[in-house]
Amino acid sequence: MAALTIGIIGAVEMDGYMTGLTNQRVDAAIANEVSDIQLHNPGFLLNQETKYLIPHAGKKADEIRKIANVKAVSVRLKGAAMASSANAGAGISINGVVPDDEYRVSDLHDHIIEGTYLNNKQKIPAVIGQKLAKKLNIGVSDKLIVTMTDSTGTITNGAFLVVGIYKTSNTDFDKSNVFVTRKDLANLIGYPTNAGDEIAILLNSNQHTKAVTKKLNTLFSAEVKSHKLIIQSWDQIQPLLKSMVDMMNYFSYLFLIIVLAALTFAIINTMLMSMMERTREIGMLIALGMNKRKIVRMVMLETLFLSIIGALVGLAISILLVDYLSIHGLDLSSFAKGLNSIGYSSTVYFQVNREFYFTTVIVVVLLAILASIPAMMRALKLQPATAIREED
């Protein structure tokens, strides 16, 4: 029972850790980096050049807002640029956004650690990541010089005032993304203020991603077929992240199988030892007339009772631990630098699917039945006369 309890706790907690870690990464990517769904001009995805605009982006955004389960929509004007200060320079992706729309689509405003988020009352504002701020050695109220190509292909420069510094769990994102207002960026590079080369869509739940993506493909089917528009969900934008989620799910069940396989040998060993210690008792029962069917039933029920009680105790403790860690989290701040470098938070909030609990109980019961077979076979082979003379 103790072995089962400890094994199940280990398997469930490991699943909770891996599921929580991957789900947090997906949620963070959707909330801060890619959103649930994005629309682009195919040329933009190939070249990352601002000139590949989405035709009538504002009108499309209004149509998308009418679709069920769409929570918010943001039209962005993006491009590659060089950011510099008096001390250093760095390549960046500059994001021109409408502050109110971006506030609803992205959680970036929740990650501001200095200054404020963008708003339309500020003059040429910019919000930058903490990593980039340290690299350029600038802070709030300092100027950020941006160099990029304008609509005519000419190199142009512009100065933005840093009004806020953000910090997410992804250091690569922080050091390469600058957010400004779409109006200011459009004026700098000579595009209409309502132009956009990316439409970001946030849904009420990412479980609706496939359904909404299908509706969008139907709504803009003509442009999709003529290769003027491409619609991608978060897992298509970041396939590596999707693969990691699938891999973590696979390893959760693999770890459970390994733990339960080890427990199976423990059950077999325990039941065989039990039969050896009770040889005279079983021999006496057979001599008194107990048939083989009842011997089998006795061994199987004993194994099942021990296994079910051990499994239930293990699950009860596991559920309590998962509930606690889902609220308070597991603090891995000592590994924060390494985790943040690959986009993971240093505090992991555990999550376990109900299916995993159910699967664990079923597998434990089945393994207990299988594990009782060797003990049953030994009991059935006993000869009453020999068994009764067996020394303790």
Side-chain angles (χ1 to χ4, degrees), residues 40-41 43-55 76-81 92-96 147-153 156 182 185-192 195-198:
H40 296 98
N41 183 319
F44 179 82
L45 295 179
L46 292 173
N47 302 285
Q48 297 294 309
E49 293 183 27
T50 311
K51 66 180 182 179
Y52 294 103
L53 300 175
I54 297 175
R76 299 166 177 166
L77 186 63
K78 300 180 65 173
I92 62 165
S93 176
I94 189 165
N95 301 267
T147 304
M148 61 187 304
T149 305
D150 65 14
S151 58
T152 64
T156 186
R182 191 177 70 184
L185 181 59
N187 289 335
L188 173 65
I189 57 179
Y191 283 94
D197 48 33
E198 178 176 286

Side-chain angles (χ1 to χ4, degrees), residues 66 68 75 78 90 92 113 154-155 172 250 299 320 322:
K66 298 175 183 178
V75 179
K78 300 180 65 173
I92 62 165
I113 57 173
T154 305
I155 301 297
D172 284 341
Y250 168 78
V299 176
L320 291 175
V322 168

Side-chain angles (χ1 to χ4, degrees), residues 1-14 255-256 258-260 262-263 310 314-315 318 356 360 364:
M1 285 171 60
L4 277 169
T5 299
I6 294 170
I8 287 172
I9 291 172
V12 172
E13 297 311 307
M14 180 59 71
F255 186 78
L256 175 64
I258 292 171
V259 169
L260 293 181
L263 289 176
L315 281 175
S318 298
F356 191 83
T360 301
V364 165

Side-chain angles (χ1 to χ4, degrees), residues 81-84 88-92 132 135-136 175:
M82 176 65 70
S84 58
I92 62 165
L132 181 62
K135 185 175 183 178
L136 299 179
K175 70 181 180 184

Side-chain angles (χ1 to χ4, degrees), residues 2 29 32 42 95 110 151-152 162 167 180 192 201 227 234 246 262 297 315 330 351 355:
N32 303 318
N95 301 267
D110 290 331
S151 58
T152 64
V162 177
K167 182 182 184 303
V180 300
I201 305 169
H227 303 291
W234 68 267
D246 294 337
R297 187 187 305 165
L315 281 175
L330 178 64
Q351 298 177 30
E355 292 82 0

Side-chain angles (χ1 to χ4, degrees), residues 362-379:
I362 296 299
V363 172
V364 165
V365 172
L366 291 175
L367 286 178
I369 293 172
L370 293 174
S372 66
I373 293 175
M376 288 187 290
M377 297 300 294
R378 177 179 173 80

Side-chain angles (χ1 to χ4, degrees), residues 8 38 42 44 73 82 101 209 236 242 274 368 382:
I8 287 172
Q38 288 185 0
F44 179 82
V73 180
M82 176 65 70
D101 291 343
T209 302
Q236 293 173 312
K242 173 62 176 174
S274 175
L382 290 176

